[in-house]
Amino acid sequence: MLIAVARENQTGEARVALVPELVPKLITAGYEVAVQPGAGRGAMISDEEYTAAGALVTEDALSSAGLVISVQPLDPDRLGQLTAGAATVSFFPATQRLTEVVIRRELQLTSFAMESVPRISRAQTMDALSSQALVAGYRAAIVAAGRLRKFFGLSMTAAGTVPPAQVVVLGAGVAGLQAIATCRRLGAVVKGYDVRTAAAEEIRSMGGVAIELGLPPLEGAGGYAREMTEERALQQRELLTPYIAAADALITTAAVPGRQAPLLVTAAMVEQMQLGSVVVDLAADSGGNVEGSVPGGVVQIGGAQVWGGAGVPSQMPGPASRLYAQNVVNVIMLMTGERGFAPDFSDEIVASMCITHAGEVRHQPTLTLIAQLEDASHE
Ligand code: NAD
């Protein structure tokens, strides 16, 4: 069976779903690999590198493929080029892309969504949300260090001592912990805060100081955060204000699964920061942790410049692609049986990832939304 690697065509997407190092692994497993020309260019990988690794580089890769892999979901035009029964593996936020789900159902495509890999230990090597959050956290620290017109690390020189930068990180999940670790490696003094109990120890293990506000933890299902009440949000903002006012750089990474990002920092709080301080809001494109942040833009609030993240992992396309590709190859290996590509739909990981298969929508939340939409159009 042929696995095709699609050239990404969404603006701002520089990643690629497969890197040359992993081509031999797929070939050894019995697959042929075809890559669309220029697919790796954004990630600084040439067509020649894919060819040298054993892949075929051809514009027609999609039409003869049994499986197409990409980072972003294929657009309807390209879905139309696939043969019925073909499968796709990519990020695919199905509940926000209902029209495309219906097209996939009608075309009898099997669609697997990378963001639906369940967060269980067996699936850790396939967890692209985590691998991409890791890249985003690293990038957030580098952006903060690059924009701050101060040293991150302490320097003791004959001409005097340069003090280290003070950094505050809000939200200590995968991205936040990586931001803390990276800022620490650059020598900054880092304080971190998260609403989950386990986070304090994790912050300390990265070399940060855990901020204790004395508020009750907000733990939800599966080790994730719960949404805050407005009263709790207000208290948290009040208690965090002095920490933020004293920070040279603030990095925010807080999210609640399936919801808009919580507003953790108001514009009034940012206004208390010193002239020249930097704010990096990684959650800017999911609603924003910082009031006034703009996804993909930099705005001035008081004396601080506020950088809003948009497609941040794609800003480090080399490592982001490498990690994503490894996640995808691990998914493919899970779905490979003795006779080649044969997803076992009774497997928890396969079942969770499956959006459409054999002319049906298999993802329950998406199915409910489509049923509502189709009912409404019949009325
Ligand atoms: P996420 O992207 O959903 O959120 C980022 C962080 O923001 C979380 O730590 C969350 O607690 C925090 N947050 C939410 N609301 C907040 C608020 N009001 N104030 C401050 N912080 C707030 O989280 P994530 O990075 O995906 O990780 C969440 C948890 O899941 C972690 O415990 C992580 O270790 C775990 N995890 C497990 C697996 C696995 O088992 N395969 C994989 C990845 C992550």
Side-chain angles (χ1 to χ4, degrees), residues 119-120 124 127 130 171-174 193-196 223-225 228 236 253-257 262 264:
R119 286 193 149 176
I120 54 174
Q124 265 178 12
D127 184 352
S130 287
V174 179
Y193 176 71
D194 197 289
V195 291
R196 292 177 297 108
Y224 288 100
M228 294 188 283
Q236 184 174 308
T253 74
V256 178
L264 304 186

mmCIF file of all heavy atoms in Angstrom, residues 119-120 124 127 130 171-174 193-196 223-225 228 236 253-257 262 264, ligand 1:
data_model
loop_
_atom_site.group_PDB
_atom_site.id
_atom_site.type_symbol
_atom_site.label_atom_id
_atom_site.label_comp_id
_atom_site.label_asym_id
_atom_site.label_seq_id
_atom_site.Cartn_x
_atom_site.Cartn_y
_atom_site.Cartn_z
ATOM 1 N N ARG A 119 -5.353 10.321 26.097
ATOM 2 C CA ARG A 119 -4.176 10.554 26.930
ATOM 3 C C ARG A 119 -4.010 9.436 27.945
ATOM 4 O O ARG A 119 -4.258 9.596 29.132
ATOM 5 C CB ARG A 119 -4.274 11.933 27.551
ATOM 6 C CG ARG A 119 -3.982 12.955 26.469
ATOM 7 C CD ARG A 119 -3.748 14.288 26.974
ATOM 8 N NE ARG A 119 -2.814 14.982 26.101
ATOM 9 C CZ ARG A 119 -2.462 16.228 26.264
ATOM 10 N NH1 ARG A 119 -2.952 16.922 27.260
ATOM 11 N NH2 ARG A 119 -1.614 16.794 25.449
ATOM 12 N N ILE A 120 -3.619 8.264 27.423
ATOM 13 C CA ILE A 120 -3.336 7.107 28.267
ATOM 14 C C ILE A 120 -1.867 6.765 28.031
ATOM 15 O O ILE A 120 -1.308 7.127 26.994
ATOM 16 C CB ILE A 120 -4.251 5.910 27.896
ATOM 17 C CG1 ILE A 120 -4.156 5.590 26.390
ATOM 18 C CG2 ILE A 120 -5.690 6.198 28.284
ATOM 19 C CD1 ILE A 120 -4.910 4.336 25.972
ATOM 20 N N GLN A 124 1.192 7.509 24.647
ATOM 21 C CA GLN A 124 2.073 8.673 24.804
ATOM 22 C C GLN A 124 2.949 8.937 23.581
ATOM 23 O O GLN A 124 3.167 10.086 23.218
ATOM 24 C CB GLN A 124 2.946 8.510 26.041
ATOM 25 C CG GLN A 124 2.315 9.197 27.241
ATOM 26 C CD GLN A 124 3.125 9.032 28.510
ATOM 27 O OE1 GLN A 124 4.269 8.594 28.472
ATOM 28 N NE2 GLN A 124 2.531 9.378 29.629
ATOM 29 N N ASP A 127 1.088 10.982 20.943
ATOM 30 C CA ASP A 127 0.376 12.167 21.417
ATOM 31 C C ASP A 127 0.947 13.447 20.803
ATOM 32 O O ASP A 127 1.883 14.051 21.327
ATOM 33 C CB ASP A 127 0.471 12.195 22.952
ATOM 34 C CG ASP A 127 -0.316 13.325 23.573
ATOM 35 O OD1 ASP A 127 -0.810 14.192 22.825
ATOM 36 O OD2 ASP A 127 -0.428 13.352 24.810
ATOM 37 N N SER A 130 0.789 16.832 22.778
ATOM 38 C CA SER A 130 1.895 17.011 23.718
ATOM 39 C C SER A 130 3.179 17.383 22.987
ATOM 40 O O SER A 130 3.888 18.293 23.418
ATOM 41 C CB SER A 130 2.153 15.739 24.524
ATOM 42 O OG SER A 130 1.142 15.572 25.466
ATOM 43 N N GLY A 171 0.187 28.462 34.035
ATOM 44 C CA GLY A 171 -0.198 27.240 33.323
ATOM 45 C C GLY A 171 1.048 26.392 33.201
ATOM 46 O O GLY A 171 1.993 26.772 32.508
ATOM 47 N N ALA A 172 1.085 25.255 33.911
ATOM 48 C CA ALA A 172 2.278 24.412 33.894
ATOM 49 C C ALA A 172 1.930 23.014 33.395
ATOM 50 O O ALA A 172 2.174 22.016 34.068
ATOM 51 C CB ALA A 172 2.920 24.385 35.274
ATOM 52 N N GLY A 173 1.320 22.949 32.215
ATOM 53 C CA GLY A 173 1.107 21.670 31.520
ATOM 54 C C GLY A 173 2.362 21.392 30.709
ATOM 55 O O GLY A 173 3.464 21.810 31.093
ATOM 56 N N VAL A 174 2.195 20.724 29.573
ATOM 57 C CA VAL A 174 3.364 20.357 28.760
ATOM 58 C C VAL A 174 4.104 21.616 28.286
ATOM 59 O O VAL A 174 5.329 21.732 28.431
ATOM 60 C CB VAL A 174 2.913 19.494 27.560
ATOM 61 C CG1 VAL A 174 4.110 19.131 26.709
ATOM 62 C CG2 VAL A 174 2.188 18.236 28.038
ATOM 63 N N TYR A 193 2.800 29.025 38.086
ATOM 64 C CA TYR A 193 1.527 28.786 38.779
ATOM 65 C C TYR A 193 0.607 27.944 37.910
ATOM 66 O O TYR A 193 0.520 28.143 36.694
ATOM 67 C CB TYR A 193 0.829 30.118 39.126
ATOM 68 C CG TYR A 193 -0.527 29.860 39.759
ATOM 69 C CD1 TYR A 193 -0.614 29.335 41.051
ATOM 70 C CD2 TYR A 193 -1.705 30.070 39.043
ATOM 71 C CE1 TYR A 193 -1.845 29.038 41.621
ATOM 72 C CE2 TYR A 193 -2.946 29.780 39.605
ATOM 73 C CZ TYR A 193 -3.005 29.262 40.891
ATOM 74 O OH TYR A 193 -4.213 28.953 41.450
ATOM 75 N N ASP A 194 -0.083 27.014 38.557
ATOM 76 C CA ASP A 194 -1.094 26.211 37.868
ATOM 77 C C ASP A 194 -2.162 25.844 38.895
ATOM 78 O O ASP A 194 -1.883 25.787 40.096
ATOM 79 C CB ASP A 194 -0.459 24.929 37.307
ATOM 80 C CG ASP A 194 -1.325 24.262 36.248
ATOM 81 O OD1 ASP A 194 -2.383 23.691 36.609
ATOM 82 O OD2 ASP A 194 -0.975 24.313 35.062
ATOM 83 N N VAL A 195 -3.358 25.564 38.416
ATOM 84 C CA VAL A 195 -4.458 25.250 39.335
ATOM 85 C C VAL A 195 -4.465 23.788 39.779
ATOM 86 O O VAL A 195 -5.210 23.424 40.687
ATOM 87 C CB VAL A 195 -5.830 25.586 38.691
ATOM 88 C CG1 VAL A 195 -6.008 27.082 38.548
ATOM 89 C CG2 VAL A 195 -5.992 24.899 37.341
ATOM 90 N N ARG A 196 -3.678 22.932 39.121
ATOM 91 C CA ARG A 196 -3.653 21.513 39.501
ATOM 92 C C ARG A 196 -2.643 21.281 40.633
ATOM 93 O O ARG A 196 -1.551 21.861 40.611
ATOM 94 C CB ARG A 196 -3.262 20.636 38.308
ATOM 95 C CG ARG A 196 -4.279 20.586 37.197
ATOM 96 C CD ARG A 196 -3.778 19.758 36.026
ATOM 97 N NE ARG A 196 -2.596 20.326 35.418
ATOM 98 C CZ ARG A 196 -1.376 19.821 35.518
ATOM 99 N NH1 ARG A 196 -1.168 18.711 36.211
ATOM 100 N NH2 ARG A 196 -0.347 20.392 34.921
ATOM 101 N N GLY A 223 -6.874 14.358 34.983
ATOM 102 C CA GLY A 223 -5.690 15.158 35.321
ATOM 103 C C GLY A 223 -5.677 16.531 34.661
ATOM 104 O O GLY A 223 -4.657 17.213 34.650
ATOM 105 N N TYR A 224 -6.810 16.960 34.105
ATOM 106 C CA TYR A 224 -6.882 18.280 33.477
ATOM 107 C C TYR A 224 -7.484 19.301 34.426
ATOM 108 O O TYR A 224 -8.084 18.949 35.434
ATOM 109 C CB TYR A 224 -7.737 18.228 32.203
ATOM 110 C CG TYR A 224 -7.035 17.520 31.099
ATOM 111 C CD1 TYR A 224 -7.330 16.207 30.798
ATOM 112 C CD2 TYR A 224 -6.055 18.173 30.362
ATOM 113 C CE1 TYR A 224 -6.672 15.542 29.794
ATOM 114 C CE2 TYR A 224 -5.387 17.521 29.354
ATOM 115 C CZ TYR A 224 -5.695 16.211 29.072
ATOM 116 O OH TYR A 224 -5.035 15.566 28.080
ATOM 117 N N ALA A 225 -7.351 20.586 34.039
ATOM 118 C CA ALA A 225 -7.930 21.647 34.860
ATOM 119 C C ALA A 225 -9.425 21.765 34.585
ATOM 120 O O ALA A 225 -9.899 21.406 33.513
ATOM 121 C CB ALA A 225 -7.242 22.958 34.522
ATOM 122 N N MET A 228 -12.819 27.893 35.776
ATOM 123 C CA MET A 228 -12.920 28.672 37.019
ATOM 124 C C MET A 228 -14.297 29.330 37.095
ATOM 125 O O MET A 228 -14.853 29.713 36.070
ATOM 126 C CB MET A 228 -11.903 29.828 37.005
ATOM 127 C CG MET A 228 -10.474 29.421 37.033
ATOM 128 S SD MET A 228 -9.404 30.869 37.257
ATOM 129 C CE MET A 228 -9.401 31.601 35.631
ATOM 130 N N GLN A 236 -8.027 34.869 41.933
ATOM 131 C CA GLN A 236 -6.736 34.429 41.384
ATOM 132 C C GLN A 236 -6.002 35.613 40.743
ATOM 133 O O GLN A 236 -4.799 35.785 40.932
ATOM 134 C CB GLN A 236 -6.973 33.314 40.368
ATOM 135 C CG GLN A 236 -5.693 32.722 39.824
ATOM 136 C CD GLN A 236 -5.932 31.515 38.919
ATOM 137 O OE1 GLN A 236 -6.619 30.563 39.276
ATOM 138 N NE2 GLN A 236 -5.365 31.560 37.735
ATOM 139 N N THR A 253 0.185 29.960 29.362
ATOM 140 C CA THR A 253 -0.041 28.739 28.552
ATOM 141 C C THR A 253 -1.277 27.982 29.018
ATOM 142 O O THR A 253 -1.398 26.791 28.761
ATOM 143 C CB THR A 253 1.172 27.779 28.685
ATOM 144 O OG1 THR A 253 1.114 27.161 29.995
ATOM 145 C CG2 THR A 253 2.503 28.472 28.536
ATOM 146 N N ALA A 254 -2.182 28.644 29.748
ATOM 147 C CA ALA A 254 -3.274 27.902 30.394
ATOM 148 C C ALA A 254 -4.401 27.571 29.422
ATOM 149 O O ALA A 254 -4.809 28.405 28.614
ATOM 150 C CB ALA A 254 -3.823 28.693 31.575
ATOM 151 N N ALA A 255 -4.888 26.339 29.533
ATOM 152 C CA ALA A 255 -6.009 25.904 28.695
ATOM 153 C C ALA A 255 -6.901 24.986 29.505
ATOM 154 O O ALA A 255 -6.470 24.372 30.468
ATOM 155 C CB ALA A 255 -5.480 25.155 27.476
ATOM 156 N N VAL A 256 -8.161 24.929 29.106
ATOM 157 C CA VAL A 256 -9.104 23.964 29.677
ATOM 158 C C VAL A 256 -9.675 23.208 28.470
ATOM 159 O O VAL A 256 -10.221 23.844 27.564
ATOM 160 C CB VAL A 256 -10.242 24.674 30.453
ATOM 161 C CG1 VAL A 256 -11.230 23.665 31.001
ATOM 162 C CG2 VAL A 256 -9.682 25.542 31.562
ATOM 163 N N PRO A 257 -9.501 21.864 28.409
ATOM 164 C CA PRO A 257 -9.912 21.123 27.213
ATOM 165 C C PRO A 257 -11.352 21.431 26.783
ATOM 166 O O PRO A 257 -12.253 21.470 27.609
ATOM 167 C CB PRO A 257 -9.771 19.657 27.636
ATOM 168 C CG PRO A 257 -8.773 19.674 28.733
ATOM 169 C CD PRO A 257 -8.948 20.980 29.449
ATOM 170 N N PRO A 262 -8.883 30.339 29.657
ATOM 171 C CA PRO A 262 -9.355 31.240 30.719
ATOM 172 C C PRO A 262 -8.599 32.575 30.695
ATOM 173 O O PRO A 262 -7.401 32.599 30.401
ATOM 174 C CB PRO A 262 -9.022 30.471 31.998
ATOM 175 C CG PRO A 262 -7.912 29.538 31.621
ATOM 176 C CD PRO A 262 -8.083 29.215 30.167
ATOM 177 N N LEU A 264 -6.651 35.030 32.441
ATOM 178 C CA LEU A 264 -5.884 35.011 33.690
ATOM 179 C C LEU A 264 -5.343 36.384 34.051
ATOM 180 O O LEU A 264 -5.080 36.668 35.213
ATOM 181 C CB LEU A 264 -4.689 34.054 33.575
ATOM 182 C CG LEU A 264 -4.957 32.607 33.189
ATOM 183 C CD1 LEU A 264 -3.671 31.815 33.266
ATOM 184 C CD2 LEU A 264 -6.017 31.996 34.085
HETATM 185 P P1 NAD B 1 -3.568 22.006 28.722
HETATM 186 O O1 NAD B 1 -2.903 22.404 27.453
HETATM 187 O O2 NAD B 1 -4.980 21.539 28.694
HETATM 188 O O3 NAD B 1 -3.483 23.248 29.779
HETATM 189 C C1 NAD B 1 -2.232 23.826 30.116
HETATM 190 C C2 NAD B 1 -2.167 24.028 31.624
HETATM 191 O O4 NAD B 1 -3.001 25.125 32.006
HETATM 192 C C3 NAD B 1 -2.618 22.836 32.457
HETATM 193 O O5 NAD B 1 -1.562 22.415 33.289
HETATM 194 C C4 NAD B 1 -3.800 23.397 33.253
HETATM 195 O O6 NAD B 1 -3.881 22.849 34.549
HETATM 196 C C5 NAD B 1 -3.462 24.875 33.298
HETATM 197 N N1 NAD B 1 -4.591 25.744 33.637
HETATM 198 C C6 NAD B 1 -5.889 25.657 33.242
HETATM 199 N N2 NAD B 1 -6.625 26.644 33.786
HETATM 200 C C7 NAD B 1 -5.774 27.388 34.540
HETATM 201 C C8 NAD B 1 -5.933 28.540 35.343
HETATM 202 N N3 NAD B 1 -7.109 29.098 35.489
HETATM 203 N N4 NAD B 1 -4.851 29.048 35.976
HETATM 204 C C9 NAD B 1 -3.639 28.445 35.838
HETATM 205 N N5 NAD B 1 -3.421 27.362 35.095
HETATM 206 C C10 NAD B 1 -4.481 26.812 34.446
HETATM 207 O O7 NAD B 1 -2.718 20.929 29.510
HETATM 208 P P2 NAD B 1 -1.671 19.864 29.000
HETATM 209 O O8 NAD B 1 -0.368 20.517 28.763
HETATM 210 O O9 NAD B 1 -2.273 19.131 27.872
HETATM 211 O O10 NAD B 1 -1.506 18.914 30.273
HETATM 212 C C11 NAD B 1 -2.494 18.776 31.259
HETATM 213 C C12 NAD B 1 -2.230 17.524 32.097
HETATM 214 O O11 NAD B 1 -2.295 16.338 31.318
HETATM 215 C C13 NAD B 1 -0.856 17.500 32.745
HETATM 216 O O12 NAD B 1 -0.997 16.932 34.015
HETATM 217 C C14 NAD B 1 -0.054 16.591 31.855
HETATM 218 O O13 NAD B 1 1.042 16.003 32.523
HETATM 219 C C15 NAD B 1 -1.106 15.575 31.500
HETATM 220 N N6 NAD B 1 -0.774 14.877 30.253
HETATM 221 C C16 NAD B 1 -0.873 13.507 30.232
HETATM 222 C C17 NAD B 1 -0.554 12.811 29.062
HETATM 223 C C18 NAD B 1 -0.638 11.313 28.991
HETATM 224 O O14 NAD B 1 -0.873 10.683 29.989
HETATM 225 N N7 NAD B 1 -0.474 10.723 27.817
HETATM 226 C C19 NAD B 1 -0.155 13.512 27.933
HETATM 227 C C20 NAD B 1 -0.079 14.904 27.994
HETATM 228 C C21 NAD B 1 -0.410 15.565 29.164
#
